Amino acid sequence: MPLSRREMLAFGMISGGALLLPLERSVFAAGQSRLAESALPAPFTVPFSVPPVAMKVNSVGTTDYYSLTMREQATEILPGFQTRIWGYDGSFPGPTFDVQQGREVVVRQTNQLPHAHPTLGYTPFTSTHLHGSASLPQYDGYASDVTYPGSWKDYRYPNSQGCRTLWYHDHGVHHTAPNVYMGLAGMYRMHDSVEQSLSIPQGRYDVPLIVTDAMFDTRGQLLYDDDDQSGLFGDVILVNGRPWPVMKVERRKYRFRILNASISRTYRWRLDSGEPLVVIGTDAGLTAAPQSVPSLLHGNAERYEVIIDFAKYKIGRRVILRNVSPNNNVDYTHTGKVMAFDVVAQASTTSNNSIPSVLSPYNAIMGLTPTATTPTRKMALVRQGGQWTINGQTWADVEASAYTRALANPALNAVEIWEIRNDSGGWHHPLHIHLVDFKILDRQIDLSGIWVAARPHERGPKDVVHVGENERVRLITRFGPHPGRYMIHCHNLVHEDHDMMGQFTVGEGGYDPITTAPAQPLPAPEL
């Protein structure tokens, strides 16, 4: 059996950096042997593909209706194997939504999953969170607002915010990590007139990249091992559900919406050509101006919109997107490779093929500035007593309080600074605050006491902040537009499940997230 992270630390096998393990040795997780490296496809041999597009089932006035069914499906991920996944409409990852600002969307989520996880044995109740949406509490995917197999729930999304890359994923309490790992995740792109007026790549040159990592057993089935509730690190890198794919591109600019949907793994992207990545968007929308960076640190659940200009390369050139692994990830032979781009043709069109110097200069959140009277709250991320905690609290404490206990109670529309503290050198935490977008003010690295500016690539509106080992980060936000109870948690989903999640209450009142619009048993009425 593999040593746990705790045991490896004790034996001095990890010293802050990534751990490299030989793949050919026999390792064991969840009672099953890991598939040997020799049985995996060679990197850059599997064709790239994009997920299917979500299709409307009805439209009434300014509201569009969709229907997704969560179900088990056998699909080919590794060539020659049929892998059991849980997918929205059986897709791995789920269908991509393309929606327009100002049009409400209703998504019916029907849970027709099996009554037990294939190896962990739990009942797969679900709660769908549209990550990045200012949803009402009862439609936010509150972890304890669950839908059991044989039930359905309609989620309403206002789509009132500006253009952004969102994603939807399961948030079922204490089982979020294995549910998402099995495939319950997909991208949701919201467009607005500002974005559509820009000459940035759009249409088929606006490409989703949903990056995950996974491990497989000798039968080609997903293997779940969270290493003593520390994290899950797979030996196979998947992009849109394909292992190390290769994409054919034209000699022009492409816009890639990169989502890190991995359970625990963080990435640092870099092109093997040495050319920069141009960041034009963060979690919650376009940046004020493009940021050209040689590499890009990408925490769990963060989204970055990146432009790569393939006009710089001759036809026949292969460009590789690499992962220069950050500290405290467990790495294998090929986890430093992500995908390849083969330049195969001249540009078939040069429209929407530029990078404007000004993108979105009037974002309200990015305009927030601290004053002497802006209150500051401190949130400490700590593992204690075998559990992951925020200010010493867990979701079990929330449950025990009948869902009344809160880490904070900002007034509706109040502006606050939150200082997120990770004073432990052994872990990084990507912290997600539901409901709001925020602006990263600055960081304190290695507990030096010196605050430095946000990294260039994260100088846009955010809803996840990567808090590195021995880092403190300050962010500013306005709490709204809805009153009610919302979650804050680590997006290393293993940490969230065990039990680094709490809640904050905005203002007074608000809809109850559990009782207002509960799931209903099948059959469901027509949309």
Side-chain angles (χ1 to χ4, degrees):
M1 294 182 67
L3 296 174
S4 73
R5 182 188 179 90
R6 182 179 298 167
E7 292 167 325
M8 289 186 288
L9 285 167
F11 284 105
M13 296 173 68
I14 300 179
S15 58
L19 174 72
L20 183 65
L21 294 179
L23 253 175
E24 289 292 355
R25 72 172 186 166
S26 175
V27 290
F28 207 69
Q32 296 166 306
S33 297
R34 189 195 302 263
L35 188 65
E37 180 183 341
S38 57
L40 298 174
F44 320 137
T45 57
V46 174
F48 175 79
S49 68
V50 296
V53 175
M55 304 301 293
K56 290 181 284 190
V57 297
N58 197 7
S59 292
V60 180
T62 58
T63 302
D64 297 322
Y65 293 85
Y66 295 80
S67 180
L68 294 179
T69 298
M70 294 171 273
R71 67 171 187 260
E72 187 170 280
Q73 179 98 10
T75 190
E76 185 174 275
I77 299 174
L78 302 179
F81 291 94
Q82 288 292 308
T83 300
R84 177 196 298 117
I85 61 96
W86 292 349
Y88 297 102
D89 283 355
S91 175
F92 183 86
T96 298
F97 283 77
D98 276 302
V99 305
Q100 193 70 25
Q101 180 193 45
R103 290 196 65 84
E104 182 188 42
V105 161
V106 175
V107 181
R108 174 163 296 168
Q109 293 284 3
T110 301
N111 185 343
Q112 291 195 342
L113 295 170
H115 286 273
H117 186 279
T119 56
L120 303 180
Y122 68 87
T123 299
F125 49 74
T126 60
S127 182
T128 306
H129 173 50
L130 180 54
H131 183 132
S133 172
S135 302
L136 288 165
Q138 66 271 33
Y139 304 125
D140 189 53
Y142 191 78
S144 295
D145 173 33
V146 296
T147 301
Y148 279 86
S151 301
W152 62 277
K153 174 168 175 162
D154 286 347
Y155 289 85
R156 291 183 173 271
Y157 303 127
N159 296 329
S160 56
Q161 300 153 287
C163 68
R164 60 188 57 205
T165 302
L166 308 92
W167 66 302
Y168 61 102
H169 62 82
D170 184 67
H171 220 310
V173 63
H174 301 309
H175 298 309
T176 297
N179 283 0
V180 173
Y181 185 65
M182 288 289 288
L184 293 179
M187 189 172 285
Y188 185 108
R189 300 184 292 196
M190 185 158 65
H191 307 280
D192 67 11
S193 59
V194 173
E195 174 212 16
Q196 291 166 329
S197 70
L198 296 172
S199 56
I200 57 179
Q202 302 192 40
R204 64 191 178 98
Y205 301 106
D206 177 358
V207 184
L209 299 183
I210 302 174
V211 184
T212 58
D213 61 329
M215 61 181 83
F216 297 84
D217 68 17
T218 54
R219 297 168 300 138
Q221 301 306 307
L222 288 167
L223 211 163
Y224 188 87
D225 178 6
D226 67 10
D227 189 19
D228 190 27
Q229 301 175 1
S230 298
L232 187 153
F233 298 93
D235 49 51
V236 178
I237 303 298
L238 304 174
V239 181
N240 296 343
R242 299 292 185 98
W244 302 289
V246 56
M247 177 184 180
K248 296 179 180 180
V249 297
E250 301 171 8
R251 297 188 66 237
R252 56 155 292 150
K253 295 178 178 68
Y254 283 72
R255 171 188 180 184
F256 296 101
R257 300 182 189 241
I258 312 178
L259 160 64
N260 177 3
S262 288
I263 302 304
S264 303
R265 184 179 296 280
T266 57
Y267 300 86
R268 185 180 290 277
W269 314 123
R270 181 173 291 166
L271 296 177
D272 72 333
S273 65
E275 291 291 335
L277 301 164
V278 181
V279 178
I280 65 166
T282 48
D283 304 332
L286 297 174
T287 55
Q291 299 285 337
S292 182
V293 296
S295 65
L296 171 60
L297 177 65
H298 197 154
N300 305 90
E302 291 183 307
R303 290 87 67 209
Y304 288 103
E305 298 186 33
V306 173
I307 290 182
I308 300 176
D309 187 2
F310 296 107
K312 298 178 180 180
Y313 308 105
K314 295 179 179 179
I315 292 175
R317 174 68 186 271
R318 169 168 286 181
V319 181
I320 297 173
L321 179 63
R322 295 194 176 276
N323 167 35
V324 185
S325 185
N327 289 345
N328 290 305
N329 287 266
V330 178
D331 284 335
Y332 298 88
T333 303
H334 294 302
T335 48
K337 307 176 183 73
V338 182
M339 66 177 295
F341 306 96
D342 282 353
V343 183
V344 298
Q346 299 292 345
S348 56
T349 175
T350 56
S351 63
N352 296 318
N353 190 34
S354 64
I355 307 175
S357 59
V358 177
L359 295 166
S360 180
Y362 305 116
N363 186 284
I365 290 298
M366 297 306 293
L368 293 177
T369 303
T371 69
T373 60
T374 306
T376 297
R377 298 184 192 266
K378 296 178 181 179
M379 300 285 173
L381 312 180
V382 179
R383 192 175 197 181
Q384 57 189 50
Q387 288 188 310
W388 301 99
T389 69
I390 304 176
N391 283 356
Q393 297 184 28
T394 67
W395 193 253
D397 296 323
V398 174
E399 293 173 316
S401 72
Y403 304 101
T404 61
R405 187 168 183 172
L407 291 162
N409 182 204
L412 183 62
N413 295 319
V415 174
E416 293 189 358
I417 296 170
W418 283 19
E419 182 180 315
I420 315 300
R421 296 184 167 195
N422 177 19
D423 295 352
S424 168
W427 315 98
H428 48 257
H429 297 293
L431 193 77
H432 175 39
I433 304 175
H434 285 224
L435 178 66
V436 299
D437 305 335
F438 54 75
K439 171 185 175 182
I440 297 175
L441 293 172
D442 44 24
R443 291 177 176 274
Q444 186 183 129
I445 300 173
D446 292 330
L447 308 180
S448 63
I450 300 172
W451 293 93
V452 298
R455 299 183 180 102
H457 68 266
E458 59 186 8
R459 294 176 188 172
K462 298 276 292 164
D463 57 43
V464 179
V465 58
H466 181 275
V467 189
E469 301 83 347
N470 291 321
E471 280 192 349
R472 297 178 179 182
V473 182
R474 294 194 307 170
L475 53 90
I476 189 170
T477 188
R478 184 183 302 277
F479 286 90
H482 311 300
R485 303 198 305 273
Y486 292 89
M487 295 179 298
I488 173 175
H489 61 88
C490 179
H491 228 291
N492 178 331
L493 295 180
V494 173
H495 296 181
E496 175 198 313
D497 283 346
H498 303 285
D499 201 23
M500 191 175 271
M501 182 164 65
Q503 67 178 354
F504 60 97
T505 303
V506 179
E508 303 296 331
Y511 294 103
D512 185 280
I514 298 177
T515 63
T516 301
Q520 302 293 325
L522 290 169
E526 289 187 8
L527 284 169

